[in-house]
Amino acid sequence: MNRAADIVTSYDRVGGCTLRQAYYRLVAEMLIPHTAPTYRRLSSRLAEARREEWFPDLIDPLREVHVSPAWPDARCVPPGLPLANQQ
């Protein structure tokens, strides 16, 4: 896990590291085997470590986070915007 954290932080200056990049670096260094169960186990362990807030964040450039528009109160809603409950 420490080597994985070192690998992830080494990518900070270029925009971050994906799980797949970390996995293949660990495989290339012959620290873990190149198998699907090992990839899934690494994913699970790194997710747990990130939840515990001791492992650096990974990036996921293929997923897009969708955030619905929000306004602090009704006065700030742009005029003419259709309401969700209108048909």
Side-chain angles (χ1 to χ4, degrees):
M1 293 293 282
N2 289 334
R3 181 62 186 134
D6 291 343
I7 289 169
V8 171
T9 56
S10 75
Y11 281 83
D12 284 349
R13 69 183 189 287
V14 294
C17 182
T18 65
L19 170 63
R20 190 166 301 280
Q21 286 172 307
Y23 169 74
Y24 280 114
R25 288 278 305 273
L26 292 167
V27 168
E29 293 177 17
M30 295 192 285
L31 296 173
I32 59 174
H34 183 232
T35 65
T38 302
Y39 182 85
R40 289 189 298 270
R41 190 168 39 254
L42 178 66
S43 175
S44 177
R45 288 184 179 168
L46 297 188
E48 182 179 340
R50 288 191 315 275
R51 284 190 297 273
E52 293 172 357
E53 299 181 355
W54 70 266
F55 195 87
D57 287 335
L58 296 168
I59 61 168
D60 189 349
L62 301 179
R63 296 199 180 178
E64 191 174 323
V65 176
H66 298 279
V67 178
S68 298
W71 296 272
D73 61 51
R75 294 174 299 192
C76 298
V77 176
L81 191 68
L83 299 176
N85 62 355
Q86 290 181 341
Q87 293 186 9

PDB file of all heavy atoms in Angstrom, residues 57-84:
ATOM      1  N   ASP A  57      -5.934  10.771  -3.331  1.00  0.00           N
ATOM      2  CA  ASP A  57      -7.038  10.603  -4.265  1.00  0.00           C
ATOM      3  C   ASP A  57      -6.556  10.105  -5.618  1.00  0.00           C
ATOM      4  O   ASP A  57      -5.489  10.482  -6.091  1.00  0.00           O
ATOM      5  CB  ASP A  57      -7.772  11.924  -4.478  1.00  0.00           C
ATOM      6  CG  ASP A  57      -8.605  12.307  -3.281  1.00  0.00           C
ATOM      7  OD1 ASP A  57      -9.007  11.412  -2.509  1.00  0.00           O
ATOM      8  OD2 ASP A  57      -8.869  13.512  -3.113  1.00  0.00           O
ATOM      9  N   LEU A  58      -7.375   9.274  -6.228  1.00  0.00           N
ATOM     10  CA  LEU A  58      -7.166   8.830  -7.604  1.00  0.00           C
ATOM     11  C   LEU A  58      -8.067   9.666  -8.505  1.00  0.00           C
ATOM     12  O   LEU A  58      -9.047  10.245  -8.043  1.00  0.00           O
ATOM     13  CB  LEU A  58      -7.534   7.354  -7.747  1.00  0.00           C
ATOM     14  CG  LEU A  58      -6.676   6.374  -6.946  1.00  0.00           C
ATOM     15  CD1 LEU A  58      -7.317   5.006  -6.926  1.00  0.00           C
ATOM     16  CD2 LEU A  58      -5.286   6.305  -7.528  1.00  0.00           C
ATOM     17  N   ILE A  59      -7.752   9.707  -9.790  1.00  0.00           N
ATOM     18  CA  ILE A  59      -8.618  10.401 -10.735  1.00  0.00           C
ATOM     19  C   ILE A  59      -9.375   9.367 -11.562  1.00  0.00           C
ATOM     20  O   ILE A  59      -8.955   8.219 -11.671  1.00  0.00           O
ATOM     21  CB  ILE A  59      -7.839  11.363 -11.654  1.00  0.00           C
ATOM     22  CG1 ILE A  59      -6.809  10.604 -12.507  1.00  0.00           C
ATOM     23  CG2 ILE A  59      -7.167  12.464 -10.854  1.00  0.00           C
ATOM     24  CD1 ILE A  59      -6.214  11.434 -13.621  1.00  0.00           C
ATOM     25  N   ASP A  60     -10.487   9.795 -12.117  1.00  0.00           N
ATOM     26  CA  ASP A  60     -11.277   8.943 -13.008  1.00  0.00           C
ATOM     27  C   ASP A  60     -11.709   9.808 -14.182  1.00  0.00           C
ATOM     28  O   ASP A  60     -12.794  10.382 -14.168  1.00  0.00           O
ATOM     29  CB  ASP A  60     -12.482   8.358 -12.280  1.00  0.00           C
ATOM     30  CG  ASP A  60     -13.196   7.307 -13.114  1.00  0.00           C
ATOM     31  OD1 ASP A  60     -12.892   7.187 -14.316  1.00  0.00           O
ATOM     32  OD2 ASP A  60     -14.058   6.617 -12.565  1.00  0.00           O
ATOM     33  N   PRO A  61     -10.852   9.929 -15.208  1.00  0.00           N
ATOM     34  CA  PRO A  61     -11.145  10.847 -16.309  1.00  0.00           C
ATOM     35  C   PRO A  61     -12.304  10.407 -17.204  1.00  0.00           C
ATOM     36  O   PRO A  61     -12.796  11.186 -18.004  1.00  0.00           O
ATOM     37  CB  PRO A  61      -9.841  10.882 -17.102  1.00  0.00           C
ATOM     38  CG  PRO A  61      -9.198   9.571 -16.820  1.00  0.00           C
ATOM     39  CD  PRO A  61      -9.590   9.221 -15.401  1.00  0.00           C
ATOM     40  N   LEU A  62     -12.762   9.173 -17.053  1.00  0.00           N
ATOM     41  CA  LEU A  62     -13.838   8.683 -17.911  1.00  0.00           C
ATOM     42  C   LEU A  62     -15.223   8.972 -17.348  1.00  0.00           C
ATOM     43  O   LEU A  62     -16.208   8.883 -18.057  1.00  0.00           O
ATOM     44  CB  LEU A  62     -13.686   7.183 -18.148  1.00  0.00           C
ATOM     45  CG  LEU A  62     -12.376   6.759 -18.802  1.00  0.00           C
ATOM     46  CD1 LEU A  62     -12.329   5.252 -18.960  1.00  0.00           C
ATOM     47  CD2 LEU A  62     -12.202   7.439 -20.137  1.00  0.00           C
ATOM     48  N   ARG A  63     -15.290   9.281 -16.085  1.00  0.00           N
ATOM     49  CA  ARG A  63     -16.586   9.546 -15.463  1.00  0.00           C
ATOM     50  C   ARG A  63     -16.781  11.036 -15.317  1.00  0.00           C
ATOM     51  O   ARG A  63     -15.859  11.771 -15.017  1.00  0.00           O
ATOM     52  CB  ARG A  63     -16.675   8.885 -14.102  1.00  0.00           C
ATOM     53  CG  ARG A  63     -16.607   7.395 -14.249  1.00  0.00           C
ATOM     54  CD  ARG A  63     -17.140   6.735 -13.053  1.00  0.00           C
ATOM     55  NE  ARG A  63     -17.033   5.291 -13.268  1.00  0.00           N
ATOM     56  CZ  ARG A  63     -17.378   4.409 -12.397  1.00  0.00           C
ATOM     57  NH1 ARG A  63     -17.874   4.785 -11.260  1.00  0.00           N
ATOM     58  NH2 ARG A  63     -17.258   3.142 -12.658  1.00  0.00           N
ATOM     59  N   GLU A  64     -17.995  11.445 -15.521  1.00  0.00           N
ATOM     60  CA  GLU A  64     -18.341  12.850 -15.423  1.00  0.00           C
ATOM     61  C   GLU A  64     -19.311  13.010 -14.260  1.00  0.00           C
ATOM     62  O   GLU A  64     -20.266  12.254 -14.125  1.00  0.00           O
ATOM     63  CB  GLU A  64     -19.009  13.293 -16.724  1.00  0.00           C
ATOM     64  CG  GLU A  64     -19.182  14.773 -16.852  1.00  0.00           C
ATOM     65  CD  GLU A  64     -19.718  15.134 -18.224  1.00  0.00           C
ATOM     66  OE1 GLU A  64     -19.335  14.498 -19.213  1.00  0.00           O
ATOM     67  OE2 GLU A  64     -20.540  16.049 -18.284  1.00  0.00           O
ATOM     68  N   VAL A  65     -19.040  13.984 -13.422  1.00  0.00           N
ATOM     69  CA  VAL A  65     -19.919  14.242 -12.289  1.00  0.00           C
ATOM     70  C   VAL A  65     -20.987  15.231 -12.739  1.00  0.00           C
ATOM     71  O   VAL A  65     -20.689  16.296 -13.258  1.00  0.00           O
ATOM     72  CB  VAL A  65     -19.130  14.812 -11.093  1.00  0.00           C
ATOM     73  CG1 VAL A  65     -20.063  15.160  -9.947  1.00  0.00           C
ATOM     74  CG2 VAL A  65     -18.069  13.817 -10.648  1.00  0.00           C
ATOM     75  N   HIS A  66     -22.230  14.842 -12.579  1.00  0.00           N
ATOM     76  CA  HIS A  66     -23.338  15.703 -12.967  1.00  0.00           C
ATOM     77  C   HIS A  66     -23.908  16.363 -11.721  1.00  0.00           C
ATOM     78  O   HIS A  66     -24.273  15.684 -10.769  1.00  0.00           O
ATOM     79  CB  HIS A  66     -24.432  14.889 -13.669  1.00  0.00           C
ATOM     80  CG  HIS A  66     -23.948  14.249 -14.929  1.00  0.00           C
ATOM     81  ND1 HIS A  66     -23.861  14.931 -16.115  1.00  0.00           N
ATOM     82  CD2 HIS A  66     -23.488  13.003 -15.184  1.00  0.00           C
ATOM     83  CE1 HIS A  66     -23.381  14.127 -17.055  1.00  0.00           C
ATOM     84  NE2 HIS A  66     -23.144  12.960 -16.506  1.00  0.00           N
ATOM     85  N   VAL A  67     -23.966  17.679 -11.758  1.00  0.00           N
ATOM     86  CA  VAL A  67     -24.501  18.441 -10.639  1.00  0.00           C
ATOM     87  C   VAL A  67     -25.685  19.237 -11.155  1.00  0.00           C
ATOM     88  O   VAL A  67     -25.558  20.028 -12.099  1.00  0.00           O
ATOM     89  CB  VAL A  67     -23.430  19.381 -10.043  1.00  0.00           C
ATOM     90  CG1 VAL A  67     -24.007  20.198  -8.903  1.00  0.00           C
ATOM     91  CG2 VAL A  67     -22.215  18.582  -9.585  1.00  0.00           C
ATOM     92  N   SER A  68     -26.820  19.030 -10.547  1.00  0.00           N
ATOM     93  CA  SER A  68     -28.015  19.775 -10.945  1.00  0.00           C
ATOM     94  C   SER A  68     -27.851  21.238 -10.537  1.00  0.00           C
ATOM     95  O   SER A  68     -27.255  21.537  -9.507  1.00  0.00           O
ATOM     96  CB  SER A  68     -29.252  19.197 -10.267  1.00  0.00           C
ATOM     97  OG  SER A  68     -29.435  17.868 -10.666  1.00  0.00           O
ATOM     98  N   PRO A  69     -28.395  22.156 -11.347  1.00  0.00           N
ATOM     99  CA  PRO A  69     -28.309  23.559 -10.968  1.00  0.00           C
ATOM    100  C   PRO A  69     -29.063  23.798  -9.653  1.00  0.00           C
ATOM    101  O   PRO A  69     -30.082  23.165  -9.391  1.00  0.00           O
ATOM    102  CB  PRO A  69     -28.964  24.307 -12.114  1.00  0.00           C
ATOM    103  CG  PRO A  69     -29.583  23.283 -12.986  1.00  0.00           C
ATOM    104  CD  PRO A  69     -29.084  21.939 -12.592  1.00  0.00           C
ATOM    105  N   ALA A  70     -28.535  24.680  -8.847  1.00  0.00           N
ATOM    106  CA  ALA A  70     -29.170  24.997  -7.563  1.00  0.00           C
ATOM    107  C   ALA A  70     -29.028  26.495  -7.299  1.00  0.00           C
ATOM    108  O   ALA A  70     -28.057  27.125  -7.706  1.00  0.00           O
ATOM    109  CB  ALA A  70     -28.516  24.203  -6.451  1.00  0.00           C
ATOM    110  N   TRP A  71     -30.011  27.041  -6.646  1.00  0.00           N
ATOM    111  CA  TRP A  71     -30.012  28.449  -6.282  1.00  0.00           C
ATOM    112  C   TRP A  71     -30.311  28.556  -4.798  1.00  0.00           C
ATOM    113  O   TRP A  71     -31.013  27.712  -4.234  1.00  0.00           O
ATOM    114  CB  TRP A  71     -31.078  29.194  -7.110  1.00  0.00           C
ATOM    115  CG  TRP A  71     -30.745  29.173  -8.561  1.00  0.00           C
ATOM    116  CD1 TRP A  71     -29.970  30.064  -9.222  1.00  0.00           C
ATOM    117  CD2 TRP A  71     -31.137  28.206  -9.531  1.00  0.00           C
ATOM    118  NE1 TRP A  71     -29.845  29.715 -10.548  1.00  0.00           N
ATOM    119  CE2 TRP A  71     -30.564  28.559 -10.761  1.00  0.00           C
ATOM    120  CE3 TRP A  71     -31.909  27.042  -9.476  1.00  0.00           C
ATOM    121  CZ2 TRP A  71     -30.739  27.839 -11.929  1.00  0.00           C
ATOM    122  CZ3 TRP A  71     -32.083  26.308 -10.642  1.00  0.00           C
ATOM    123  CH2 TRP A  71     -31.504  26.711 -11.844  1.00  0.00           C
ATOM    124  N   PRO A  72     -29.786  29.596  -4.145  1.00  0.00           N
ATOM    125  CA  PRO A  72     -29.975  29.706  -2.698  1.00  0.00           C
ATOM    126  C   PRO A  72     -31.439  29.876  -2.286  1.00  0.00           C
ATOM    127  O   PRO A  72     -31.831  29.419  -1.230  1.00  0.00           O
ATOM    128  CB  PRO A  72     -29.151  30.924  -2.297  1.00  0.00           C
ATOM    129  CG  PRO A  72     -28.794  31.624  -3.554  1.00  0.00           C
ATOM    130  CD  PRO A  72     -28.956  30.659  -4.680  1.00  0.00           C
ATOM    131  N   ASP A  73     -32.256  30.530  -3.120  1.00  0.00           N
ATOM    132  CA  ASP A  73     -33.690  30.643  -2.837  1.00  0.00           C
ATOM    133  C   ASP A  73     -34.434  30.939  -4.138  1.00  0.00           C
ATOM    134  O   ASP A  73     -33.825  31.173  -5.177  1.00  0.00           O
ATOM    135  CB  ASP A  73     -33.996  31.692  -1.756  1.00  0.00           C
ATOM    136  CG  ASP A  73     -33.563  33.093  -2.142  1.00  0.00           C
ATOM    137  OD1 ASP A  73     -33.929  33.549  -3.246  1.00  0.00           O
ATOM    138  OD2 ASP A  73     -32.883  33.746  -1.336  1.00  0.00           O
ATOM    139  N   ALA A  74     -35.749  30.934  -4.069  1.00  0.00           N
ATOM    140  CA  ALA A  74     -36.583  31.072  -5.269  1.00  0.00           C
ATOM    141  C   ALA A  74     -36.369  32.390  -5.998  1.00  0.00           C
ATOM    142  O   ALA A  74     -36.542  32.467  -7.209  1.00  0.00           O
ATOM    143  CB  ALA A  74     -38.052  30.906  -4.901  1.00  0.00           C
ATOM    144  N   ARG A  75     -35.980  33.432  -5.317  1.00  0.00           N
ATOM    145  CA  ARG A  75     -35.754  34.738  -5.966  1.00  0.00           C
ATOM    146  C   ARG A  75     -34.593  34.699  -6.940  1.00  0.00           C
ATOM    147  O   ARG A  75     -34.501  35.521  -7.837  1.00  0.00           O
ATOM    148  CB  ARG A  75     -35.516  35.824  -4.914  1.00  0.00           C
ATOM    149  CG  ARG A  75     -36.720  36.109  -4.035  1.00  0.00           C
ATOM    150  CD  ARG A  75     -36.351  37.066  -2.958  1.00  0.00           C
ATOM    151  NE  ARG A  75     -35.299  36.398  -2.159  1.00  0.00           N
ATOM    152  CZ  ARG A  75     -34.870  36.813  -0.985  1.00  0.00           C
ATOM    153  NH1 ARG A  75     -35.346  37.911  -0.459  1.00  0.00           N
ATOM    154  NH2 ARG A  75     -33.954  36.155  -0.334  1.00  0.00           N
ATOM    155  N   CYS A  76     -33.688  33.739  -6.785  1.00  0.00           N
ATOM    156  CA  CYS A  76     -32.500  33.658  -7.632  1.00  0.00           C
ATOM    157  C   CYS A  76     -32.700  32.792  -8.875  1.00  0.00           C
ATOM    158  O   CYS A  76     -31.853  32.780  -9.766  1.00  0.00           O
ATOM    159  CB  CYS A  76     -31.332  33.106  -6.827  1.00  0.00           C
ATOM    160  SG  CYS A  76     -30.855  34.139  -5.437  1.00  0.00           S
ATOM    161  N   VAL A  77     -33.810  32.071  -8.960  1.00  0.00           N
ATOM    162  CA  VAL A  77     -34.077  31.210 -10.110  1.00  0.00           C
ATOM    163  C   VAL A  77     -34.327  32.087 -11.334  1.00  0.00           C
ATOM    164  O   VAL A  77     -35.110  33.038 -11.280  1.00  0.00           O
ATOM    165  CB  VAL A  77     -35.295  30.298  -9.842  1.00  0.00           C
ATOM    166  CG1 VAL A  77     -35.624  29.467 -11.078  1.00  0.00           C
ATOM    167  CG2 VAL A  77     -35.027  29.399  -8.645  1.00  0.00           C
ATOM    168  N   PRO A  78     -33.652  31.812 -12.459  1.00  0.00           N
ATOM    169  CA  PRO A  78     -33.846  32.630 -13.659  1.00  0.00           C
ATOM    170  C   PRO A  78     -35.309  32.600 -14.109  1.00  0.00           C
ATOM    171  O   PRO A  78     -35.957  31.546 -14.086  1.00  0.00           O
ATOM    172  CB  PRO A  78     -32.950  31.959 -14.703  1.00  0.00           C
ATOM    173  CG  PRO A  78     -31.962  31.159 -13.931  1.00  0.00           C
ATOM    174  CD  PRO A  78     -32.651  30.771 -12.663  1.00  0.00           C
ATOM    175  N   PRO A  79     -35.842  33.742 -14.521  1.00  0.00           N
ATOM    176  CA  PRO A  79     -37.236  33.770 -14.966  1.00  0.00           C
ATOM    177  C   PRO A  79     -37.430  32.911 -16.216  1.00  0.00           C
ATOM    178  O   PRO A  79     -36.543  32.788 -17.057  1.00  0.00           O
ATOM    179  CB  PRO A  79     -37.488  35.250 -15.270  1.00  0.00           C
ATOM    180  CG  PRO A  79     -36.155  35.912 -15.306  1.00  0.00           C
ATOM    181  CD  PRO A  79     -35.191  35.024 -14.608  1.00  0.00           C
ATOM    182  N   GLY A  80     -38.596  32.288 -16.299  1.00  0.00           N
ATOM    183  CA  GLY A  80     -38.916  31.463 -17.461  1.00  0.00           C
ATOM    184  C   GLY A  80     -38.397  30.050 -17.391  1.00  0.00           C
ATOM    185  O   GLY A  80     -38.618  29.249 -18.290  1.00  0.00           O
ATOM    186  N   LEU A  81     -37.693  29.697 -16.326  1.00  0.00           N
ATOM    187  CA  LEU A  81     -37.177  28.353 -16.170  1.00  0.00           C
ATOM    188  C   LEU A  81     -38.323  27.409 -15.838  1.00  0.00           C
ATOM    189  O   LEU A  81     -39.072  27.654 -14.904  1.00  0.00           O
ATOM    190  CB  LEU A  81     -36.120  28.317 -15.049  1.00  0.00           C
ATOM    191  CG  LEU A  81     -35.297  27.061 -14.932  1.00  0.00           C
ATOM    192  CD1 LEU A  81     -34.367  26.894 -16.121  1.00  0.00           C
ATOM    193  CD2 LEU A  81     -34.482  27.092 -13.672  1.00  0.00           C
ATOM    194  N   PRO A  82     -38.514  26.319 -16.611  1.00  0.00           N
ATOM    195  CA  PRO A  82     -39.624  25.410 -16.296  1.00  0.00           C
ATOM    196  C   PRO A  82     -39.394  24.706 -14.957  1.00  0.00           C
ATOM    197  O   PRO A  82     -38.277  24.331 -14.618  1.00  0.00           O
ATOM    198  CB  PRO A  82     -39.599  24.416 -17.453  1.00  0.00           C
ATOM    199  CG  PRO A  82     -38.268  24.531 -18.064  1.00  0.00           C
ATOM    200  CD  PRO A  82     -37.721  25.897 -17.733  1.00  0.00           C
ATOM    201  N   LEU A  83     -40.459  24.549 -14.221  1.00  0.00           N
ATOM    202  CA  LEU A  83     -40.375  23.852 -12.939  1.00  0.00           C
ATOM    203  C   LEU A  83     -40.523  22.355 -13.157  1.00  0.00           C
ATOM    204  O   LEU A  83     -41.238  21.916 -14.053  1.00  0.00           O
ATOM    205  CB  LEU A  83     -41.475  24.359 -11.985  1.00  0.00           C
ATOM    206  CG  LEU A  83     -41.386  25.853 -11.651  1.00  0.00           C
ATOM    207  CD1 LEU A  83     -42.566  26.261 -10.796  1.00  0.00           C
ATOM    208  CD2 LEU A  83     -40.086  26.175 -10.937  1.00  0.00           C
ATOM    209  N   ALA A  84     -39.861  21.560 -12.339  1.00  0.00           N
ATOM    210  CA  ALA A  84     -39.839  20.106 -12.507  1.00  0.00           C
ATOM    211  C   ALA A  84     -41.222  19.481 -12.376  1.00  0.00           C
ATOM    212  O   ALA A  84     -41.512  18.488 -12.998  1.00  0.00           O
ATOM    213  CB  ALA A  84     -38.882  19.490 -11.498  1.00  0.00           C
TER     214      ALA A  84
END
